[in-house]
Amino acid sequence: MSAEEHPQTNPLIPKQSRTPYHISGKPEKQDLVDEYKGKNLDALRTPALIIDRAVFARNCAKMHEHAKALNARFRAHVKSHKTPEGTRLQLLSNADETHSIVVSTVMEVCEVFRAGLMADGTVKDVLYGLPMAPNKIADLSALTDELAAVGASMRILIDHPDQVKVIEAWESTKANHRRWSVFIKVDCGSHRRAGLKPDSPAFEHLLRSVLASSSISLYGFYTHAGHSYASTSFAEAADFLLAEVTAVNDAATLALSIIANTPGMQHPRESFVLSVGATPTAHAATTELKAKVESGLNGTLELHAGNYPLLDLQQLNTSLITHRDIAQRVLATVISYYPGRGEDGSDEAMCDAGALAMSKDTGPRPGYGDVIGKPWRLSRVAQEHGILTMMSPASFELGPLQGDGSLKLGDMVQIVGQHACLTLAGYPWYYVVDSDVSDGNVVVDVWVPWKGW
């Protein structure tokens, strides 16, 4: 899967970077399974990342049900866990199946391919979910060929007309001309990440460039309401979902109008794919909302999300999940204790999970994580340690209460962090338990995530 060589004669094509998947070192899964399978959690070195496979799988099935309720396809984002095992559960649940994924790195595409997920038909459609960088076009071109050889499709995301020029410049050097399958990224709100607002002159300029290009096939329009993480109710999340649908549908409506009013421009053979979603808005996808969503739709609806198999405190704050839906936590050890040191005279404790184990992401809730079964919060973090402080009974949600709720030196605690995606990124492997098989305190598998870009 080597990147294509390209003579650097066109100023639009910079020197190409490479994704070194062939030398990306990862721990050997079987060695880890041999070492840890069957061990109780209290035998693990901390900090350790724990995933409950049963909860993870249930969350995947629930998301398939949400997509069906909306009469939408589903595209699973795999960037939160970056594992073949998690990807299979996201795509093949006891509720439905899908074969489309989103990735955030070129390395993820390489590793999905290397894991055999395309060869066995589990993955048939991949979207590289960042706007395309010119210095990655060689790798993306080579990957497109590799995927096509096993019957899978590669798609890219663009949101700037210069990306169109880069693709055209690349294809001008090729003997076998390709039309790149492209989503245009649409901005659906005030989050100001990637994408353009569909009613802006810049968007229309980009859209006309794409439609006029002989090197691009417009597959659809993609949006992500990242600002929906601020939702605190179903009604708010539903409004964000409707705004996502409106944004991509407006984009498709404009595209169809340009095609109809441009002599010689052919109407697309298939309807545009209108891809919407974030974990909060996807959780708001219901049969009741279907009629509002489908009204006047100028394309085929697709739902996407990524955090939903794992979940975290940010998602708990939306009120769309319960703490029982959270599939991941960090196991940590209390390494010191400080009676009366808190500002109000309460006790504090130190644990061995700090910023690298938890991330420094925050959310509407205070601190960096809450302890399961104990009214304690990870309130402060340094690189390799964190300070646990006592919380009020009214703030404690990760029950039921274990014992009297107190901590002492040597106790092991399980902490749910603010943002699972960044928490998991700090770990070389994940210990997998299964609450449907045992009490969820015995390691049944080990997942090794893909690393690198």
Side-chain angles (χ1 to χ4, degrees), residues 333-338 348-352 386 388 407-410:
T333 302
V334 176
I335 59 175
S336 197
Y337 197 87
Y338 310 98
E348 294 187 341
M350 179 182 286
C351 69
D352 58 1
L388 297 166
L407 294 178
K408 66 180 184 302
L409 182 69

Side-chain angles (χ1 to χ4, degrees), residues 4 54-55 66-67 90 123 127 137 177 202 232 242 305 324 364 401 440:
E4 303 170 46
V55 179
H66 282 298
Q90 283 184 277
V123 175
L127 168 63
I137 192 169
H177 190 75
T232 57
L242 292 173
R324 294 179 180 84
L401 186 69

Side-chain angles (χ1 to χ4, degrees), residues 138-157:
D139 263 0
L140 292 169
S141 180
L143 281 165
T144 301
D145 291 337
E146 295 280 358
L147 269 59
V150 293
S153 299
M154 180 78 190
R155 311 190 196 283
I156 63 170
L157 198 69

Side-chain angles (χ1 to χ4, degrees), residues 380-404:
R380 307 192 298 276
V381 291
Q383 179 174 321
E384 299 292 0
H385 69 268
I387 300 299
L388 297 166
T389 60
M390 302 177 75
M391 67 170 74
S392 68
S395 301
F396 174 61
E397 288 191 51
L398 303 187
L401 186 69
Q402 298 172 4
D404 62 2

Side-chain angles (χ1 to χ4, degrees), residues 247-293:
V248 291
N249 197 47
D250 286 351
T253 301
L254 178 59
L256 292 173
S257 174
I258 291 172
I259 292 169
N261 291 287
T262 304
M265 190 171 286
Q266 293 185 342
H267 197 277
R269 287 178 294 179
E270 297 181 359
S271 60
F272 294 126
V273 173
L274 310 180
S275 194
V276 302
T279 291
T281 59
H283 279 147
T286 61
T287 304
E288 292 74 23
L289 214 60
K290 177 183 172 184
K292 290 183 179 180
V293 166

Side-chain angles (χ1 to χ4, degrees), residues 4-81:
E4 303 170 46
E5 294 297 332
H6 187 278
Q8 305 302 319
T9 58
N10 192 311
L12 291 173
I13 307 295
K15 186 174 182 179
Q16 293 296 293
S17 59
R18 302 294 175 83
T19 297
Y21 76 95
H22 57 294
I23 55 173
S24 60
K26 301 194 302 293
E28 288 294 331
K29 175 184 172 72
Q30 192 57 52
D31 290 345
L32 293 166
V33 170
D34 292 343
E35 176 70 22
Y36 294 110
K37 187 174 181 180
K39 288 190 174 181
N40 289 327
L41 296 187
D42 60 10
L44 302 182
R45 173 61 57 89
T46 56
L49 194 290
I50 313 298
I51 292 176
D52 188 327
R53 185 173 61 192
V55 179
F56 189 107
R58 281 198 294 273
N59 290 340
C60 293
K62 288 177 185 176
M63 189 54 67
H64 283 169
E65 295 286 4
H66 282 298
K68 288 197 294 185
L70 209 61
N71 195 28
R73 302 177 184 176
F74 185 67
R75 184 180 294 271
H77 210 317
V78 303
K79 61 120 179 155
S80 297
H81 57 85

Side-chain angles (χ1 to χ4, degrees), residues 100-228:
S100 300
I101 65 171
V102 195
V103 300
S104 285
T105 67
V106 178
M107 181 67 84
E108 288 167 43
V109 190
C110 297
E111 293 287 14
V112 168
F113 186 92
R114 184 158 63 175
L117 293 170
M118 293 158 187
D120 68 9
T122 301
V123 175
K124 299 179 181 178
D125 190 308
V126 180
L127 168 63
Y128 174 54
L130 295 181
M132 189 202 68
N135 64 355
K136 295 177 183 176
I137 192 169
D139 263 0
L140 292 169
S141 180
L143 281 165
T144 301
D145 291 337
E146 295 280 358
L147 269 59
V150 293
S153 299
M154 180 78 190
R155 311 190 196 283
I156 63 170
L157 198 69
I158 64 173
D159 67 352
H160 195 282
D162 283 355
Q163 292 155 351
V164 178
K165 295 176 182 178
V166 169
I167 292 170
E168 291 174 338
W170 176 262
E171 287 303 317
S172 70
T173 69
K174 311 304 288 294
N176 298 316
H177 190 75
R178 166 193 296 133
R179 290 176 70 93
W180 290 63
S181 181
V182 162
F183 273 103
I184 294 180
K185 183 67 183 286
V186 178
D187 182 355
C188 65
S190 58
H191 202 48
R192 290 187 295 182
R193 301 213 303 195
L196 299 172
K197 292 186 180 298
D199 59 353
S200 67
F203 181 85
E204 181 172 346
H205 174 62
L206 171 63
L207 181 55
R208 289 184 180 276
S209 299
V210 168
L211 291 172
S213 177
S214 61
S215 299
I216 291 177
S217 174
L218 180 58
Y219 186 72
F221 302 92
Y222 184 100
T223 196
H224 168 69
H227 49 304
S228 67

